Amino acid sequence: MKRLGISCVLLLCFAVAEAIAQTLSPDMPKGTQLRYALADAKGAITGYSIRTLESVEAADSATLYTYKVLTTNPDGTVKEGTADEKKRIKVTADEIIRVIDFSDMLSKDAAEDEDVDISVTGTYTSVPRNPRIGDLPDGELKAKIRAEGMRLTVKMKVCNRRIEGRETVSTDAGAFDCWRISEDIVVSVLLFKKRTTVVSWYADSVGLVRSESWSARNGTSVTTLAEITYPQ
């Protein structure tokens, strides 16, 4: 059985900094597919993220939406280790909550490995269903990971969150009236720490339209909605 090495754990932890900020909107039918272009600071395409609304389930006075995520290289080939990735959001009467599940970011083999155990506690971040300009509550998660006999504690803090206002954002998928939200995400594990500053634009009926992330480790990355495909 393929195991999860420490280098994979570190990559997994740092990937959360990008994933935690990308809340998607539920206001679309099951089967809707969102295609995002991934680019660097100079605008060069580094790949694509294809997110398909896979299921909608009722859960304790809320609704859970699950998206299947496929990340590809610029040539369309699937990036290694991303075929089984999922994103989940929980929607209540008042807010949209991004649910982080580490097991959704593992390869299928690693997720099924009995020697890999991950538990997450803390407070998830959320976006109000009726946003207003102003500060948002912080979020903080603690993940305890056991793999190959090692034990790690990963801390993730989302802070300095603010709804800054509304802006019109034009992409290949169209022009959208968006809320602009900024936040800082800090991921700490062992002696490593990564701080990512994220500015995102969300449209009420589509969800994420554009996101700009910066960190000293990875520089600037840009995610932009390129295409929306609705089920027939």
Side-chain angles (χ1 to χ4, degrees), residues 91-97 126-131:
V91 179
T92 69
D94 301 318
E95 58 186 354
I96 301 174
I97 305 166
S126 63
V127 177
R129 297 204 68 179
N130 297 299

Side-chain angles (χ1 to χ4, degrees), residues 74-85:
D75 62 3
T77 58
V78 178
K79 285 192 176 181
E80 184 178 357
T82 63
D84 299 308
E85 185 181 353

Side-chain angles (χ1 to χ4, degrees), residues 99-120:
V99 179
I100 300 295
D101 188 339
F102 271 77
S103 63
D104 289 337
M105 301 179 189
L106 299 175
S107 67
K108 183 177 181 180
D109 285 343
E112 294 176 349
D113 194 334
E114 294 181 357
D115 289 337
V116 176
D117 181 68
I118 301 175
S119 62
V120 180

Side-chain angles (χ1 to χ4, degrees), residues 214-227:
W214 180 89
S215 70
R217 179 186 178 90
N218 297 102
T220 300
S221 61
V222 181
T223 299
T224 306
L225 182 62
E227 183 180 13

Side-chain angles (χ1 to χ4, degrees), residues 10 13-14 17 140 153-157 159 185-196 214-218:
L10 294 176
C13 297
F14 290 138
E140 189 165 4
T153 297
V154 183
K155 295 180 180 180
M156 294 159 282
K157 185 173 183 180
C159 54
I185 304 167
V186 181
V187 180
S188 303
V189 54
L190 297 176
L191 299 178
F192 299 90
K193 178 179 286 189
K194 177 182 178 180
R195 175 181 288 271
T196 303
W214 180 89
S215 70
R217 179 186 178 90
N218 297 102

Side-chain angles (χ1 to χ4, degrees), residues 163-226:
I163 298 176
E164 299 180 340
R166 295 188 73 89
E167 297 179 357
T168 299
V169 178
S170 297
T171 75
D172 289 343
F176 302 91
D177 186 21
C178 299
W179 289 101
R180 173 178 168 138
I181 301 176
S182 62
E183 55 197 349
D184 291 330
I185 304 167
V186 181
V187 180
S188 303
V189 54
L190 297 176
L191 299 178
F192 299 90
K193 178 179 286 189
K194 177 182 178 180
R195 175 181 288 271
T196 303
T197 297
V198 182
V199 179
S200 301
W201 290 261
Y202 297 94
D204 294 335
S205 61
V206 177
L208 181 68
V209 173
R210 181 179 173 87
S211 178
E212 298 178 1
S213 304
W214 180 89
S215 70
R217 179 186 178 90
N218 297 102
T220 300
S221 61
V222 181
T223 299
T224 306
L225 182 62

